[in-house]
Amino acid sequence: MERYIVKRIPRCDENTCNEFARLGSATVYEAQGQTGLLNVRIKPIQQDASVCGPAVTVICPAGDNLMIHAAVECCEPGDILVVTTEGESNKQGMIGELLAKSLMKRGVKAVIMDGGVRDTAQIRELGFPVWTTSIVCTGTTKSKAGWVNAPAVCAGTLVEPGDLMVADDDGVVVVKREDIPEVLEKSLAREKKEQGTTQKIEEGQLGIDFYGFREVLAKLGVRYYDTVEEADKSVHPKQEK
Amino acid sequence: MERYIVKRIPRCDENTCNEFARLGSATVYEAQGQTGLLNVRIKPIQQDASVCGPAVTVICPAGDNLMIHAAVECCEPGDILVVTTEGESNKQGMIGELLAKSLMKRGVKAVIMDGGVRDTAQIRELGFPVWTTSIVCTGTTKSKAGWVNAPAVCAGTLVEPGDLMVADDDGVVVVKREDIPEVLEKSLAREKKEQGTTQKIEEGQLGIDFYGFREVLAKLGVRYYDTVEEADKSVHPKQEK
Amino acid sequence: MERYIVKRIPRCDENTCNEFARLGSATVYEAQGQTGLLNVRIKPIQQDASVCGPAVTVICPAGDNLMIHAAVECCEPGDILVVTTEGESNKQGMIGELLAKSLMKRGVKAVIMDGGVRDTAQIRELGFPVWTTSIVCTGTTKSKAGWVNAPAVCAGTLVEPGDLMVADDDGVVVVKREDIPEVLEKSLAREKKEQGTTQKIEEGQLGIDFYGFREVLAKLGVRYYDTVEEADKSVHPKQEK
Amino acid sequence: MERYIVKRIPRCDENTCNEFARLGSATVYEAQGQTGLLNVRIKPIQQDASVCGPAVTVICPAGDNLMIHAAVECCEPGDILVVTTEGESNKQGMIGELLAKSLMKRGVKAVIMDGGVRDTAQIRELGFPVWTTSIVCTGTTKSKAGWVNAPAVCAGTLVEPGDLMVADDDGVVVVKREDIPEVLEKSLAREKKEQGTTQKIEEGQLGIDFYGFREVLAKLGVRYYDTVEEADKSVHPKQEK
Amino acid sequence: MERYIVKRIPRCDENTCNEFARLGSATVYEAQGQTGLLNVRIKPIQQDASVCGPAVTVICPAGDNLMIHAAVECCEPGDILVVTTEGESNKQGMIGELLAKSLMKRGVKAVIMDGGVRDTAQIRELGFPVWTTSIVCTGTTKSKAGWVNAPAVCAGTLVEPGDLMVADDDGVVVVKREDIPEVLEKSLAREKKEQGTTQKIEEGQLGIDFYGFREVLAKLGVRYYDTVEEADKSVHPKQEK
Amino acid sequence: MERYIVKRIPRCDENTCNEFARLGSATVYEAQGQTGLLNVRIKPIQQDASVCGPAVTVICPAGDNLMIHAAVECCEPGDILVVTTEGESNKQGMIGELLAKSLMKRGVKAVIMDGGVRDTAQIRELGFPVWTTSIVCTGTTKSKAGWVNAPAVCAGTLVEPGDLMVADDDGVVVVKREDIPEVLEKSLAREKKEQGTTQKIEEGQLGIDFYGFREVLAKLGVRYYDTVEEADKSVHPKQEK
């Protein structure tokens, strides 16, 4: 139960982060076998931001943000701060404008907060992206010990320091550090395939054809009717009398 | 329990749809006797869109969107795709950017989804309006049979193919196909009445006067006091001692 | 159980209101000893509005807005209408465009509604700020007696007529009328202190230093490690074998 | 914002309390004009308990139960302890077995807690009735100032010291102290009327007859059909073709 | 939009109902292809009741139970009353002790209520099983028109008069009237199969063997390790350094 | 992303488990520094069960229980099966009567399920304790790979194989394997202290005295008044006029 701070984490290169940010949470989630999604109760306070970077993790006791202050100097440019608390902290604003400014000053790209956030208008104005489970004007105590860069459970998912966080309007996905190259490759392959599909759609082709779904439907025994009345007659024959 | 696809649905004319879209969900809901509202857990992913069109209905097994692919070719320009699932699908993105593009290509006006949606930033960028119960980056399987254009329960309300969907920032309302002319007439009457009220308000008249509410209040025995202290004395006489 | 309307409430001066609006809910909440916050289920329908004014309170029976109509003429320019209902009214639009226009005509600054609101697109268009627990297109009855300017519980917090409401994107805070001067003074002191902190942050100083948190961490026995591996070895010695 | 403890509260006689407990929350709620109900998120931890007594109110800061300890000596036999917190305390067990024993020793009848409770198995074993918003094994701090016997908002409803609390499986209702005699009289009248109704039901009479609802239905234009098919034909004439 | 009452519904025989009640919701749900489940927000107010009978459906306007009174005389012994409302009615006790007694007098077996219920202690005492979305002591108005024995959406699922309701501690399942014989047969087959499985379990056999899951696991590439340490070394080879 | 099964886990002795079960979740949670609590959405399906044993962990893909079948043979008498899923599984009954019987046959003491459970009446009848996030009659697929005895996040908390689970009516607490002796010692010390407190309470002493809280209240500046009226006069002097 020792509480501690780890100063250095492993980080992947910036280009890889940028690629993941461009690919987005949906593509990355699928590419890595449908794992790593944080619970959907984590939502962005802004629209249209898409970011990726290595996780600096913080575990705070509920309603206390001392460890976030301790985490600031462990951050390098491009990092994403991932904060969780022991017990729920949706009624406390675990970060506000001042911490956002401190983190921006260190080059931190974004915060993923399993807890509340305040000063949201000001933080949006600063252009600092935040994902949170709650918006609330309250503050916190600053007096309790926790961890920086220990394995942390954020919104139901395990995040270890240096794991990549991919966050956009659709949610937040974690890529385990050891899986980064494999997931990038699969994500790019997936993107390429989707571009081919997009072209078919623009030519007016139907997914039911180019995915081969007509056969699937036939095998499943799905019947076609021309009108609602015909279907009705066939399905509820007894009601006809 | 036969599963099927109906290719053609009855559709009302475009002008009627445009009128309903202009009138909006609140006016239409009232005009048809306060019925037809989908549960408020269905919310728009964009602001300020107001649409109306005949429903093409889809029932999918939970977390599987094969039937949405099958529904695309049943759609005509101006339609609204209404999707529901057997069991809840809030943790699955039942449609994303590619299906949105496919539907736009067919001239579909909007999607009403009792389930999750992904690629929301991209779909907003496309200008394609969507109402949904959840935003989430996950995908679905594409292998299970359901129904296209069968009667469907969407967000707690029965929608039959060809019913009109009226959707805006305040919610989604269904107008039963056989009630369309009557509801349109009553909605227009209601609009006219509201315009008269608006004028009175702009002239500085008070609703308490022009609605005749002073009499109602008098009948209900509501008393007037000049100050908080007077009311307090009258209501809690025992506390004075 | 007598139901009544009080016509006049005590009001503080406009400058004070403007100062509180500028200071915002987070600063005021802290300055008054972390009290007075309405439940976070009350959220704005718009972004970036920040308002403050004396409360005209309304208590309606659930799903009936007659008393809001009665309250309009009790309002003066700069007031904020605070509405609550006996029992929940999240499935009813307790105010809509027409009432918003009536209130604007009286100079009312905003509505805080523990219940539903409709015509939200139109109300945003009018530039009239509203905080609400629910957006829904339904209406209400207009036939039941309640109170205007009685003590009211709004989103779990007691609001008395003439109390100041401070509302922005982070939430809604009530300042009791007798505490206004003290809370203003403390809020301004807090603001000044935060400006000092902001400057330190901009100079590149760390909160862990200027708040004196290094000592706190030391007292709490928080250890520093250089790498994740070192921390792991120290914490789970048995797993090394 | 001064925090304080009031030692003595007004109490009504025990017979009245027993009568209200026998009558139950539903009858009392109706008899007093459908007011005074605490939010339904407050639920009993036991079945079949029905209690009534004057409220000793406690307001604690969130997650701190010092003031409950202070309240114990303000309680007299027959009282009901009503606890609420500034901000939510659903993740903290605000009372447990030891406080339950302390309160029983003072003759307290029950606790109504807008917050969490722990040791629920032991408290049920003791036969001490508790209504709460959450069951959770965590504890609290015991170091922060609040109020005993100040006006308190419990589960959204204002409770003043000496108000009567009526609690059973259906919920918790507050009777304002000044309304006790009137509400008791109306509750007894209501009970008598229900006994008459019960007898009619046991004789096999139908509510639709003895309440006169056949006329109401006729006025509302509700039609009678013999079979589902007949209703269907009449309502959807176009679908017949 | 005509509102009406249908007096007679089709009913299946009592033996079939008893069989379905014995088989229970889980078996029936699976046997009919995993359809027909009401939303899990509908829960029993008692434990260990298991019932089945044909549905008499009622649609009430929100918070008004006039139509339930009208439905009583449409009920025959063995029926199950299924009630839903237009809009949500979780804050209203749509039935209480008196209506429960009236329904028992008619031989009704149970109530499935998509809305609130009161007098729950008394109803349990009477031995009358009820499934509901909310327990609350409030009452309703009795003045608004709805439908008896029209198609009704209850907890998100379409129920038509005469459909079978199967309800127990695990939930409520609807069997469409035309599917009753087929679903009964499949349910009995399923029960027989489960009895065989039970015997194997009692003999000490493992599901992984008698279901053939060892092969499935092998095909999926799931590896076996003897200890946690071995698995850890194999999965995170980089962390070993 | 390799998926695997670990056959053997470290286990602590039975006496220690029995001691922890007797001490209960509240005492253990406090003794280990207020950590290790699973989210309160996990609730027991029975009353008055209190268990403790080493965790055999299972991670299933959402809605698929193949890995639970694989886990059965990894269990030894006295174990507790802890199941979680990638993504939410509250709409699926991940275990039912047959799996409960299989687990009982292996001597498993209980299941902690972050997902749904079915056949709850039968499982209670068997006397097999289960904690779950949802009761629902649906089943699962049995075809997807996951993990047995990998680190698992259950209801928001990290559980590793061999960690102790302490579960009762108040919730579920995890004791990390390496902390077991220390936490047991502290729990027993805590129990002893509580027994002393219980005796004082039975003698009629007040916590405000034997905890030394009178001094705390004095330091916090909490004032005492004799009556509500006196407090009122002192706090709101302006309202006297």
Side-chain angles (χ1 to χ4, degrees), chain C residues 206-223:
Chain C
L206 290 171
I208 198 173
D209 291 315
F210 61 71
Y211 287 129
F213 287 157
R214 290 200 195 278
E215 282 183 8
V216 177
L217 291 166
K219 269 190 202 159
L220 290 166
V222 176
R223 287 195 56 183

Side-chain angles (χ1 to χ4, degrees), chain F residues 7-231:
Chain F
K7 290 198 218 157
R8 292 208 318 269
I9 61 160
R11 290 178 173 87
C12 82
D13 66 294
E14 203 187 326
N15 283 350
T16 299
C17 292
N18 291 346
E19 279 293 90
F20 273 116
R22 187 181 57 75
L23 289 157
S25 64
T27 297
V28 174
Y29 173 78
E30 294 296 337
Q32 73 177 344
Q34 304 178 341
T35 62
L37 177 63
L38 271 63
N39 190 293
V40 296
R41 69 176 187 266
I42 288 239
K43 294 177 196 302
I45 65 165
Q46 68 287 320
Q47 265 191 359
D48 295 328
S50 184
V51 301
C52 174
V56 168
T57 66
V58 184
I59 308 173
C60 299
D64 189 288
N65 74 356
L66 173 62
M67 298 314 290
I68 304 181
H69 288 278
V72 175
E73 68 176 336
C74 306
C75 292
E76 299 286 330
D79 287 353
I80 290 186
L81 195 76
V82 176
V83 184
T84 188
T85 68
E86 295 184 303
E88 218 173 274
S89 299
N90 287 319
K91 306 288 167 181
Q92 285 88 23
M94 295 290 291
I95 65 159
E97 190 182 6
L98 293 179
L99 267 171
K101 280 181 174 164
S102 299
L103 291 164
M104 289 180 84
K105 191 82 188 171
R106 296 289 300 180
V108 171
K109 267 187 193 159
V111 167
I112 314 290
M113 169 64 69
D114 190 351
V117 169
R118 69 172 169 184
D119 299 335
T120 49
Q122 292 83 345
I123 292 174
R124 267 194 302 268
E125 172 93 22
L126 290 169
F128 185 68
V130 172
W131 283 254
T132 180
T133 52
S134 158
I135 295 171
V136 60
C137 73
T138 62
T140 62
T141 54
K142 295 167 195 306
S143 61
K144 293 182 189 159
W147 292 263
V148 175
N149 287 323
V153 176
C154 183
T157 299
L158 185 63
V159 180
E160 289 170 288
D163 288 349
L164 275 194
M165 308 306 293
V166 184
D168 57 23
D169 285 7
D170 290 345
V172 182
V173 171
V174 188
V175 182
K176 301 310 293 174
R177 195 162 54 87
E178 58 267 30
D179 298 334
I180 293 172
E182 181 190 341
V183 175
L184 180 57
E185 192 184 337
K186 288 186 179 167
S187 297
L188 290 168
R190 204 178 156 82
E191 186 191 32
K192 204 169 172 182
K193 198 172 141 199
E194 289 196 355
Q195 285 165 345
T197 306
T198 300
Q199 199 176 331
K200 287 178 193 159
I201 291 167
E202 276 163 14
E203 290 163 4
Q205 294 185 49
L206 290 170
I208 198 173
D209 291 316
F210 61 72
Y211 288 129
F213 287 157
R214 289 201 197 277
E215 283 184 9
V216 177
L217 290 166
K219 268 189 202 160
L220 290 167
V222 174
R223 287 195 57 180
Y224 275 86
Y225 294 98
D226 267 341
T227 65
V228 172
E229 284 72 18
E230 283 177 35

Side-chain angles (χ1 to χ4, degrees), chain C:
Chain C
M1 291 185 296
E2 192 202 50
R3 306 196 170 209
Y4 61 80
I5 294 165
V6 171
K7 289 198 219 157
R8 289 207 322 268
I9 62 161
R11 290 178 174 88
C12 82
D13 64 294
E14 202 187 326
N15 283 350
T16 299
C17 294
N18 292 345
E19 278 294 89
F20 273 116
R22 188 181 57 75
L23 288 157
S25 64
T27 297
V28 174
Y29 172 78
E30 295 295 338
Q32 73 176 344
Q34 305 180 340
T35 62
L37 177 62
L38 272 64
N39 189 292
V40 295
R41 68 176 187 264
I42 289 239
K43 293 176 196 301
I45 65 165
Q46 68 288 319
Q47 265 190 359
D48 296 328
S50 183
V51 301
C52 174
V56 168
T57 66
V58 184
I59 308 174
C60 298
D64 189 288
N65 73 358
L66 174 62
M67 299 313 290
I68 304 180
H69 288 278
V72 174
E73 69 176 337
C74 305
C75 293
E76 297 288 330
D79 287 353
I80 290 184
L81 195 76
V82 177
V83 184
T84 188
T85 69
E86 295 183 303
E88 216 173 276
S89 299
N90 286 318
K91 307 287 168 183
Q92 285 87 22
M94 296 290 290
I95 64 159
E97 190 181 6
L98 292 180
L99 267 171
K101 279 181 175 164
S102 299
L103 291 164
M104 289 181 85
K105 191 83 189 173
R106 296 289 300 182
V108 171
K109 266 187 193 159
V111 167
I112 314 290
M113 169 64 69
D114 190 352
V117 169
R118 69 173 169 184
D119 300 335
T120 48
Q122 292 81 347
I123 292 175
R124 267 194 302 269
E125 173 94 22
L126 290 169
F128 185 67
V130 172
W131 282 254
T132 180
T133 53
S134 158
I135 295 171
V136 59
C137 73
T138 62
T140 63
T141 54
K142 296 168 196 304
S143 60
K144 294 182 189 158
W147 294 262
V148 175
N149 286 324
V153 176
C154 183
T157 299
L158 186 63
V159 181
E160 289 170 290
D163 287 350
L164 275 195
M165 308 306 291
V166 184
D168 56 23
D169 285 6
D170 290 345
V172 182
V173 171
V174 188
V175 182
K176 301 310 293 176
R177 195 163 55 87
E178 57 267 31
D179 298 334
I180 293 172
E182 182 191 340
V183 175
L184 180 57
E185 193 184 337
K186 286 186 180 167
S187 297
L188 289 168
R190 203 176 155 83
E191 185 190 33
K192 203 169 171 182
K193 196 172 142 199
E194 288 196 356
Q195 286 165 346
T197 307
T198 300
Q199 200 177 333
K200 286 177 194 159
I201 290 166
E202 276 163 13
E203 290 164 2
Q205 294 185 49
L206 290 171
I208 198 173
D209 291 315
F210 61 71
Y211 287 129
F213 287 157
R214 290 200 195 278
E215 282 183 8
V216 177
L217 291 166
K219 269 190 202 159
L220 290 166
V222 176
R223 287 195 56 183
Y224 275 86
Y225 294 97
D226 266 342
T227 66
V228 173
E229 283 73 17
E230 283 176 36
D232 213 40
K233 265 182 212 162
S234 170
V235 174
H236 300 293
K238 288 163 210 163
Q239 296 188 336
E240 293 308 294
K241 289 168 221 169

Side-chain angles (χ1 to χ4, degrees), chain A residues 58 103 109 148 186 209:
Chain A
V58 184
L103 291 164
K109 268 189 193 158
V148 175
K186 287 185 179 169
D209 291 316

